[in-house]
Amino acid sequence: MSAIPSFTGDASPYGGGDPYADYRTAEFPFTRYADLADRRLGAGVIAANDEFFAERENMLKPQAAEFDPEHFGHKGKIMDGWETRRRRGVSAQQPHPAEDDHDWALVRLGAPGVVRGIVIDTAHFRGNYPQAVSVEATSVAGSPSPEELLADDVKWTTLVPRTAVGGHAANGFAVDVEQRFTHLRVNQHPDGGIARLRVYGEVAPDPKWLAVLGTFDLAALENGGQVEDASDRFYSPATNTIQPGRSRKMDDGWETRRRRDKGNDWIRYQLAAESQIRAVEIDTAYLKGNSAGWAALSVAAEGSEEWTEVLPRTRLQPDTNHRFVLDTPAVGSRVRIDIYPDGGISRLRLFGSLTEAGTARLTARHQELGG
């Protein structure tokens, strides 16, 4: 683990106006990866030892934390995050909490994967944020209960050692542990509040599960697909196009700014492994006056920049799911969709199966990660 240089330390009391005006953050290079703790992937905060002031589930809300200075309940100020009560010592002679006293929450990742970075955001927690945080991870098959995860025989690996954090700030930590994890234990020392938790990394699917499925979506985030790069992310991230389910609103897809030149926009994807693509879906759901006009699809081998077009430039309709059956399966491990001239798509689905070489590579990688 290495801390990302950022603003730390105390935050000033809220002085009115824009509650984010004095918010501290920094550029975190690992945010190019997907958020493994995204609720859309199925992530959840499954247990916490204390959530007196604010519920643990708030940490995984997709939107930025909100702050209403007048919002109070019968327990006190209502915060948009996870907040525990103030810890106390054991007696009047020892009023302060012990050095090891801390609060914890168990987080189930939406998809097992390799963690590349973590953001512990204390937005609006100015005088009630934790003094320090730490994060541990484990890999447990199936759907373990909190009691099973907390059993003595479960091995936890430290991703973020106990580290001081700042209030009303995005505290980022780069992680360099080459293992596959399914759950995290987030600790705050000794108590306090965390507004949001983001866990950025690469999905590491189970090759046995994919083999049983046979035909599946090769680009899907939950199956190990990922976005390599995109020409434009002005309105929304390209990773939205490989999220589970259909889009439910306009910003749940990928939309670019309006082009004023003669170029076009594109996304490059890395598939789960080398695959045979047999069918394609390009969905423009909820993109009505701003959907892409045309789209083309190309494939390439691992590490190659030689692209082979498998779907020629084809007219797209607004707010429509387009389906294409390929006459010949397209083999590759990378895919590029080009849209013309700009606009957006909500989802891209690439149906097919892994090749023998792809299965072998994915299986070897799974074993390397301790799966």
Side-chain angles (χ1 to χ4, degrees):
M1 188 285 302
S2 60
I4 301 295
S6 61
F7 298 97
T8 58
D10 293 339
S12 299
Y14 175 61
D18 179 6
Y20 273 103
D22 59 341
Y23 177 70
R24 284 84 53 78
T25 188
E27 293 293 328
F28 303 129
F30 50 73
T31 57
R32 68 184 182 87
Y33 295 101
D35 181 7
L36 302 179
D38 194 322
R39 282 289 299 168
R40 289 174 294 180
L41 280 175
V45 187
I46 61 175
N49 71 306
D50 186 297
E51 48 187 330
F52 185 85
F53 286 113
E55 297 82 4
R56 62 185 190 257
E57 290 87 355
N58 289 336
M59 286 195 293
L60 303 191
K61 285 182 179 178
Q63 66 272 21
E66 298 179 352
F67 179 72
D68 181 351
E70 304 300 327
H71 195 192
F72 287 85
H74 65 277
K75 291 183 179 180
K77 181 73 183 74
I78 295 176
M79 297 295 290
D80 187 11
W82 168 47
E83 186 181 5
T84 65
R85 73 193 79 198
R86 300 187 188 214
R87 282 185 170 270
R88 297 291 186 248
V90 295
S91 66
Q93 289 70 39
Q94 295 178 296
H96 303 290
E99 180 65 19
D100 292 336
D101 285 351
H102 67 278
D103 293 319
W104 54 264
L106 295 178
V107 178
R108 179 189 63 241
L109 297 180
V114 181
V115 178
R116 299 300 184 194
I118 295 173
V119 174
I120 294 181
D121 193 338
T122 57
H124 314 304
F125 287 91
R126 296 169 179 270
N128 50 350
Y129 60 93
Q131 180 183 27
V133 299
S134 61
V135 181
E136 303 159 279
T138 190
S139 182
V140 179
S143 304
S145 66
E147 292 75 20
E148 290 170 320
L149 289 170
L150 295 172
D152 293 338
D153 60 344
V154 174
K155 177 186 175 184
W156 291 88
T157 300
T158 299
L159 302 187
V160 179
R162 183 168 175 169
T163 306
V165 293
H168 194 46
N171 300 275
F173 305 90
V175 177
D176 186 20
V177 180
E178 205 68 16
Q179 293 182 45
R180 178 181 186 267
F181 296 114
T182 61
H183 295 78
L184 300 186
R185 183 162 60 192
V186 179
N187 306 304
Q188 47 179 339
H189 308 266
D191 53 38
I194 295 171
R196 295 290 187 268
L197 172 72
R198 303 292 184 248
V199 183
Y200 296 98
E202 301 172 68
V203 175
D206 183 347
K208 290 183 179 179
W209 174 254
L210 298 183
V212 169
L213 293 180
T215 296
F216 59 93
D217 182 358
L218 303 158
L221 192 58
E222 59 190 325
N223 293 332
Q226 58 181 304
V227 170
E228 283 186 357
D229 201 2
S231 60
D232 186 289
R233 299 177 175 87
F234 189 82
Y235 285 113
S236 45
T239 302
N240 281 351
T241 61
I242 53 175
Q243 289 282 4
R246 294 200 70 193
S247 173
R248 292 292 182 267
K249 53 182 180 174
M250 191 174 73
D251 66 349
D252 189 21
W254 172 59
E255 182 188 357
T256 71
R257 73 190 80 196
R258 299 188 189 211
R259 276 192 170 267
R260 301 309 187 195
D261 58 20
K262 299 300 181 183
N264 74 283
D265 289 314
W266 49 266
I267 304 175
R268 289 201 309 265
Y269 302 90
Q270 180 76 44
L271 304 182
E274 184 184 78
S275 309
Q276 286 190 340
I277 305 168
R278 295 188 289 273
V280 176
E281 283 189 3
I282 302 174
D283 197 351
T284 59
Y286 289 90
L287 295 165
K288 298 181 179 181
N290 48 358
S291 66
W294 292 262
L297 198 73
S298 303
V299 301
E302 181 73 30
S304 173
E305 292 299 330
E306 295 184 13
W307 295 92
T308 301
E309 188 176 76
V310 296
L311 182 68
R313 194 178 303 188
T314 303
R315 189 75 168 94
L316 299 182
Q317 300 299 321
D319 195 27
T320 300
N321 192 23
H322 309 77
R323 291 179 170 176
F324 308 95
V325 176
L326 302 184
D327 294 334
T328 303
V331 178
S333 58
R334 302 173 68 216
V335 169
R336 189 184 74 224
I337 186 169
D338 288 277
I339 63 170
Y340 301 88
D342 56 24
I345 61 173
S346 62
R347 296 290 188 270
L348 175 69
R349 305 298 187 207
L350 304 174
F351 296 103
S353 54
L354 300 178
T355 64
E356 289 187 13
T359 299
R361 180 164 184 171
L362 196 65
T363 300
R365 175 67 172 157
H366 189 68
Q367 293 171 347
E368 289 173 5
L369 297 175

